[in-house]
Amino acid sequence: MRTPALAAGVRFRRAADGSAVLLIPEGVVSLNGSAAAVLELVDGRRTVGEIAEDLTRRYEADPAQMQADVAELLAQMSSKMWVVWAPENERQP
Amino acid sequence: MSAPYRPLSLLAELTYRCNLQCPYCYNPLDLRAYRRELDAATWCRVLDEAADLGVLQVHFSGGEPTLRPEECVALVRRARERGMYSNLITQGTFLTDDLLDRLLDAGLDHIQISVQAPHAELADQIAGARVHQRKIEALTRVARRPVALTLNCVLHRHNIDQVEDVIALAERVGVRRVELANAQLYGWAYRNRLALLPTREQVERARDRVREAARRLAGRMEITHVLADYYEPYPKPCMNGWGQMFLTVAPDGRVFPCPAAAAITTLRFESVTEKPLAWIWHESESFNAYRGVGWMPEPCRSCERREVDWGGCRCQAFLLTGDAGLTDPACSKSPLHALVTRITEAITAAPQPAELIPRRM
Ligand code: SF4
Ligand code: SF4
């Protein structure tokens, strides 16, 4: 299972009012609730599966659906170069 | 009036001093007037006030900001402590490994390094100094560090035909973000407009080539191309609207809604040495002068694009017409659009561009 990390120069920030943004080189991206929930867990250590499990538990969602949603969101973020995939050998259990 | 507006981004111009002489520099012509620069303690207070106002990103620029290396490091650290994203806009000639270490340690998120052209001969001619090779070295070193890196190149008549080579250079040194921006005609660039503005043919060719390269490099390189608004039907939404998202603090402490606004001599701009930043943002006459749509004359007032491009650029309106409160003449609907077409037609008709005047103190 692959391990996502925020790319260099990309930062997640949650404001006091609960709203979340991604700070990127080109500016500020506001995040909806589900994107924020996923990105908040992206730390370069958790795998996609672990992030999905965590959210499944938290939101009592369907595991397979959650797995697919998280994978798709991260794939989108990676095509924008906001998320990168940690090399296999750096992955922690 | 004040409630809905919140700045997201602060441009901190630490100094207008620079060792280069780019004729497209947007800095003001009267550079000497900015010799007195805010000290580090004042800048720290400005960052604190900006964070309190809701600013999320700080861009350190100039001039050449790394001519004040201690301030750069201290201010990047302060921005980080206050949760703000920091970006250093530099021409890279002073970016030693030591300074890089200290900036990254302080929490710098993003570095933008400019080149004047893809090849040394033209690049050095435009910069007025032999610096191209040093810039390439800086780019190569930064590309290996854990920091976002963008290669910038300001495009104009003399280098726009080499736009593909700029992208190839980025590929070669391993840069994943490229910003190609047609020279914005303010400050020194406005003075040099007849030498800088490319022909329509050049602009269109460059646009096609950049599109092609962007397609080829999709997912590997992010290319931003800022077009020359003199050739577009509608003006750019300058700063996303006057006083709506951005503010600039100049080296002397004056606060502007747009980095080119010092040219507007009909407005008085307050300094952070006189007033709190929040007062300037919310209450000052200058920030409220062209906010929203209430100030708009026709044709903007009844135009369906009025909240798309906000009537274009106030500084450009002032430079071209003498009145910052008119529709940007770059707009094809402006009754004064001929002020722009006269320039583009002169460019197309002239066999040789006018001579470049290097930026000088
Ligand atoms: S545009 Fe050129 S002259 Fe102006 S500040 Fe940047 S590097 Fe210096
Ligand atoms: S008329 Fe004004 S609002 Fe409409 S496109 Fe032109 S500049 Fe923009």
Side-chain angles (χ1 to χ4, degrees):
Chain A
M1 186 61 73
R2 299 212 287 174
T3 306
L6 291 183
V10 173
R11 273 206 278 143
F12 176 88
R13 181 175 143 150
R14 198 180 277 285
D17 65 359
S19 65
V21 292
L22 208 54
L23 302 173
I24 62 165
E26 294 82 12
V28 178
V29 184
S30 6
L31 298 170
N32 62 27
S34 43
V38 173
L39 287 169
E40 198 156 32
L41 297 177
V42 168
D43 59 4
R45 288 192 296 275
R46 290 186 180 86
T47 64
V48 175
E50 287 161 349
I51 292 172
E53 267 167 43
D54 193 323
L55 294 172
T56 304
R57 238 176 288 126
R58 197 181 316 166
Y59 296 106
E60 297 175 7
D62 174 59
Q65 186 60 46
M66 181 60 84
Q67 181 79 36
D69 290 350
V70 170
E72 192 195 313
L73 181 102
L74 289 171
Q76 269 174 27
M77 299 268 156
S78 126
S79 71
K80 297 195 147 97
M81 306 195 329
W82 300 339
V83 161
V84 294
W85 301 103
E88 291 294 311
N89 56 4
E90 274 180 30
R91 207 188 71 193
Q92 299 184 4
Chain B
M1 170 101 244
S2 53
Y5 298 106
R6 168 191 159 177
L8 285 181
S9 179
L10 164 72
L11 180 71
E13 297 180 322
L14 299 186
T15 178
Y16 283 150
R17 285 174 288 135
C18 185
N19 55 323
L20 307 189
Q21 300 187 312
C22 309
Y24 58 73
C25 191
Y26 76 80
N27 282 174
L29 297 175
D30 56 336
L31 290 165
R32 278 167 201 278
Y34 295 83
R35 279 214 174 139
R36 278 188 67 150
E37 297 169 351
L38 296 182
D39 60 18
T42 309
W43 273 117
C44 276
R45 171 171 64 78
V46 170
L47 292 189
D48 287 341
E49 291 184 29
D52 293 341
L53 259 178
V55 167
L56 295 174
Q57 288 190 313
V58 185
H59 308 274
F60 296 103
S61 178
E64 177 45 45
T66 60
L67 283 170
R68 302 185 71 184
E70 299 313 317
E71 285 86 347
C72 282
V73 173
L75 295 174
V76 165
R77 179 163 289 126
R78 187 59 149 246
R80 186 54 178 264
E81 283 164 6
R82 296 299 313 260
M84 295 184 289
Y85 187 98
S86 60
N87 175 23
L88 179 69
I89 302 171
T90 174
Q91 31 89 334
T93 60
F94 303 113
L95 211 52
T96 59
D97 269 322
D98 175 57
L99 180 57
L100 207 47
D101 285 339
R102 294 167 63 210
L103 288 166
L104 297 193
D105 178 64
L108 184 63
D109 293 291
H110 179 207
I111 304 185
Q112 286 177 259
I113 299 180
S114 60
V115 296
Q116 277 67 13
H119 307 294
E121 193 187 337
L122 179 60
D124 290 345
Q125 198 182 314
I126 295 169
R130 291 191 56 170
V131 289
H132 186 70
Q133 192 48 42
R134 237 195 296 163
K135 285 161 173 272
I136 304 301
E137 285 160 19
L139 280 161
T140 311
R141 280 186 284 117
V142 178
R144 294 195 208 106
R145 301 290 194 112
V147 64
L149 169 63
T150 300
L151 181 153
N152 284 43
C153 185
V154 173
L155 300 179
H156 47 79
R157 180 147 190 180
H158 302 265
N159 67 2
I160 192 168
D161 295 329
Q162 303 181 2
V163 75
E164 285 168 301
D165 291 358
V166 178
I167 295 168
L169 167 68
E171 273 189 277
R172 206 161 56 238
V173 294
V175 180
R176 300 191 59 188
R177 289 191 160 78
V178 175
E179 189 187 286
L180 304 162
N182 272 272
Q184 305 287 314
L185 302 178
Y186 307 106
W188 288 85
Y190 184 72
R191 186 164 177 192
N192 276 305
R193 61 195 178 282
L194 290 176
L196 289 173
L197 196 67
T199 65
R200 181 181 294 276
E201 203 195 335
Q202 283 183 301
V203 168
E204 283 170 3
R205 210 181 315 132
R207 176 166 33 195
D208 293 346
R209 289 177 181 172
V210 173
R211 259 196 212 138
E212 225 165 85
R215 216 173 295 134
R216 178 171 62 83
L217 294 164
R220 283 184 288 149
M221 191 187 284
E222 184 82 28
I223 305 178
T224 313
H225 188 190
V226 183
L227 298 168
D229 62 355
Y230 277 36
Y231 289 114
E232 297 295 308
Y234 303 118
K236 55 188 179 299
C238 197
M239 313 317 290
N240 276 312
W242 181 273
Q244 303 215 38
M245 288 165 96
F246 295 98
L247 51 88
T248 296
V249 178
D252 62 351
R254 280 190 298 158
V255 189
F256 300 102
C258 159
I264 303 177
T265 50
T266 46
L267 287 177
R268 179 181 138 72
F269 296 95
E270 278 85 6
S271 163
V272 292
T273 57
E274 309 164 329
K275 295 275 189 189
L277 199 61
W279 184 90
I280 298 174
W281 174 261
H282 289 301
E283 313 292 338
S284 71
E285 201 192 323
S286 57
F287 271 78
N288 285 303
Y290 305 115
R291 232 176 205 155
V293 296
W295 61 273
M296 284 182 181
E298 293 293 355
C300 297
R301 183 185 288 273
S302 54
C303 176
E304 75 275 9
R305 289 181 56 87
R306 65 183 178 272
E307 288 182 43
V308 176
D309 59 39
W310 303 99
C313 174
R314 300 304 85 229
C315 311
Q316 187 150 278
F318 183 83
L319 283 175
L320 291 168
T321 73
D323 183 350
L326 294 181
T327 298
D328 185 339
C331 179
S332 53
K333 294 169 79 172
S334 157
L336 296 172
H337 188 52
L339 292 171
V340 164
T341 50
R342 206 177 293 153
I343 298 174
T344 53
E345 279 160 17
I347 297 284
T348 312
Q352 289 292 322
E355 195 141 343
L356 288 167
I357 306 161
R359 169 198 135 128
R360 283 204 189 91
M361 267 288 175

